Amino acid sequence: MNEGLERRGFLAALAGGLAGGAMLNAAPAEAQADKLTSSLPGGAADRAYMLTLLEKMASPILGRMARGRLQREWKLELSPTWDGRDPRVGYLEGFGRLIDGIAPWLALPDDTTPEGRMRSQLRQQALQSYAHAVDPKSPDYLLWQGVGQPLVDSAYFTSALLRAPDALWKPLDAKTKARIIAEIQGLRRISPPYTNWLLFAAMNEAFLLAVGAEWDPVRLDLAIRKFEEWYVGDGWYADGVHFHFDYYNSYVIHPMLTQILEVLVNTNAPFNSLEPKDRLPIQIKRMQRYAAQIERAIGPDGAYAAIGRSLTYRTAAHQPIGLLAWRRMLPATLPAGQVRAATVAAQRRVFADPSNFDADGFLTIGFTRHQPSLGDWYSNAGSMYIAAESLLSLGLPADDIYWTTTPKPWTMLLAYEGKDFQKDYYVSY
């Protein structure tokens, strides 16, 4: 009897202690939120971190390629399951994917700040690299013939020229422009499979249209029609007939489909497919919905779900968020301070381990460190540079509100701190 009373007394005391602790810890909600916000890095620190990451990715490639020394000095790491194709495809992968991610930043005007001086140098190196890329006499002439992979990475190569035409296309000399057009048109020999590869072919035709060269509307029409068929709802597209739960909506589908439609609208090209002017607003809404879901998948510590193939593309998973930020198209549900804090937290989390880069400064195969076993049969060190697509928001100048606004806790940080956060609902467009 006494033992039972003592036990009940202990449980009552424990309950009282827990309740008392809860009361002691219960501060006003606004004060708790302010404390959470104050713990987050500010916009200047976020931008400085991203610029460091950009320089770390860009300098080893552009510094060498501008001098025609990239292929001589970069021995590409290949996946343990490499399929045996010519490994030189990796140099186009590395340059094309890198330049597409940093193109908006290269397009910013020159200034005398350390950032401005770095941008001026890297922009000049990028222009020299474009010239080497298509000069048959250059040691860094890229592999445009013989294999299918160049169709993929030529689309990033041309996307960058569309993202920064004044910085990267217009300054090129006439011979280099003509060579680029000829190489891109020559890739029509490759018949793309009915997957996201349709968008690579269409992106190249959109580029040709934008620069006034001969273009093929059929390749554009096919990509637009098939992806409209493959839309599965709630912001997601299937990658072909079957839906794949991976990040290819981030790596390729949303950014390229949007850009293709924008070119068609901006050029007012004669086009009889699904009306681009009608499709573009819908596509942007779908990308906004998808971006909201991707933001919700960033955990309180910046970690995010390791799903699907091509995980070694790292933070390219967040390309649509950065794209919407750069284009000032973020939906109301994604405030600038929130998405900046979330995506930079993910970058800090992923790139924390020094082995993400090798001794020569090149990206390694891996997800959060050097993890070659995660490489797919098509993975090489050049493939990894699609991670630069997470740097798109650097295309906004340092004094833009995106960088000056107060950081805000992102969805899962709020959720796991016990704070109120927005509920999530399916969309029907």
Side-chain angles (χ1 to χ4, degrees):
M1 185 72 169
N2 289 339
E3 182 181 339
L5 286 172
E6 288 177 2
R7 183 158 53 86
R8 285 195 293 273
F10 169 74
L11 292 174
L14 178 60
L18 289 174
M23 291 178 66
L24 289 172
N25 291 330
E30 289 184 6
Q32 291 186 37
D34 288 343
K35 184 177 180 181
L36 188 58
T37 297
S38 65
S39 69
L40 299 174
D46 285 343
R47 185 177 181 86
Y49 174 81
M50 289 180 66
L51 286 170
T52 299
L53 190 57
L54 182 151
E55 193 277 335
K56 198 167 187 177
M57 289 186 190
S59 289
I61 290 183
L62 298 184
R64 288 173 171 84
M65 193 169 177
R67 296 178 289 126
R69 300 181 65 90
L70 182 65
Q71 296 185 43
R72 181 188 310 174
E73 298 180 5
W74 185 15
K75 181 174 174 56
L76 291 162
E77 179 188 12
L78 303 178
S79 166
T81 57
W82 184 249
D83 66 352
R85 78 183 78 175
D86 190 329
R88 289 179 297 165
V89 298
Y91 297 111
L92 176 53
E93 291 183 63
F95 174 70
R97 297 176 185 209
L98 167 72
I99 201 68
D100 195 38
I102 70 173
W105 177 76
L106 292 176
L108 290 175
D110 287 329
D111 59 53
T112 58
T113 64
E115 176 186 338
R117 291 194 295 272
M118 179 174 73
R119 179 167 50 250
S120 178
Q121 180 183 35
L122 289 176
R123 186 192 302 120
Q124 187 59 37
Q125 290 175 349
L127 291 169
Q128 293 166 343
S129 297
Y130 265 111
H132 282 290
V134 292
D135 181 358
K137 295 181 180 179
S138 170
D140 277 338
Y141 177 59
L142 296 176
L143 185 64
W144 298 98
Q145 307 289 331
V147 289
Q149 182 65 31
L151 178 61
V152 175
D153 299 293
S154 62
Y156 294 100
F157 182 101
T158 56
S159 172
L161 297 171
L162 289 171
R163 284 176 171 174
D166 291 341
L168 296 178
W169 175 251
K170 292 181 181 178
L172 294 174
D173 62 87
K175 181 180 289 187
T176 298
K177 289 180 179 178
R179 286 171 169 170
I180 289 174
I181 289 170
E183 296 289 7
I184 298 305
Q185 290 173 334
L187 292 171
R188 291 172 181 159
R189 70 182 184 280
I190 300 169
S191 179
Y194 275 39
T195 63
N196 64 83
W197 279 50
L198 293 178
L199 291 171
F200 302 137
M203 175 62 74
N204 284 341
E205 298 304 326
F207 160 74
L208 293 169
L209 167 62
V211 300
E214 184 268 330
W215 61 289
D216 180 3
V218 174
R219 288 195 165 211
L220 282 163
D221 180 81
L222 178 61
I224 293 170
R225 287 184 181 276
K226 295 309 294 184
F227 275 92
E228 188 59 31
E229 291 176 17
W230 294 337
Y231 183 64
V232 295
D234 207 22
W236 288 76
Y237 289 92
D239 191 359
V241 176
H242 302 290
F243 176 75
H244 301 172
F245 189 42
D246 55 30
Y247 290 116
Y248 272 80
N249 272 268
S250 293
Y251 303 150
V252 182
I253 298 171
H254 276 296
M256 289 198 177
L257 186 55
T258 301
Q259 194 167 27
I260 289 163
L261 288 168
E262 286 178 333
V263 169
L264 287 168
V265 171
N266 293 338
T267 58
N268 198 28
F271 200 67
N272 296 323
S273 185
L274 302 166
E275 179 55 50
K277 290 181 180 179
D278 296 333
R279 299 310 315 161
L280 179 57
I282 296 171
Q283 165 52 28
I284 290 172
K285 288 182 180 179
R286 290 174 177 175
M287 182 165 60
Q288 289 171 331
R289 169 58 181 160
Y290 175 79
Q293 294 170 322
I294 295 300
E295 185 274 341
R296 297 179 78 89
I298 300 174
D301 64 346
Y304 56 95
I307 57 169
R309 68 188 179 96
S310 300
L311 271 178
T312 58
Y313 294 172
R314 297 178 170 95
T315 50
H318 303 135
Q319 179 182 186
I321 303 176
L323 176 59
L324 289 166
W326 169 49
R327 300 293 304 281
R328 295 186 172 89
M329 292 179 178
L330 287 169
T333 56
L334 290 179
Q338 178 176 321
V339 300
R340 188 193 74 225
T343 53
V344 182
Q347 289 172 340
R348 288 187 172 102
R349 181 71 178 82
V350 167
F351 289 103
D353 192 305
S355 71
N356 281 290
F357 295 87
D358 68 17
D360 293 319
F362 295 104
L363 276 170
T364 59
I365 297 174
F367 182 55
T368 59
R369 59 178 176 83
H370 184 211
Q371 298 161 293
S373 64
L374 294 180
D376 296 292
W377 53 266
Y378 47 80
S379 301
N380 66 76
S383 315
M384 305 301 105
Y385 282 86
I386 195 173
E389 297 286 10
S390 65
L391 303 175
L392 291 176
S393 59
L394 284 172
L396 295 168
D399 59 358
D400 188 90
I401 192 172
Y402 182 82
W403 301 108
T404 60
T405 192
T406 302
K408 293 185 178 182
W410 53 98
T411 305
M412 288 299 103
L413 181 55
L414 290 170
Y416 282 91
E417 288 289 330
K419 308 296 188 295
D420 289 341
F421 61 97
Q422 290 183 342
K423 293 186 288 185
D424 191 48
Y425 294 97
Y426 166 87
V427 298
S428 59
Y429 38 74

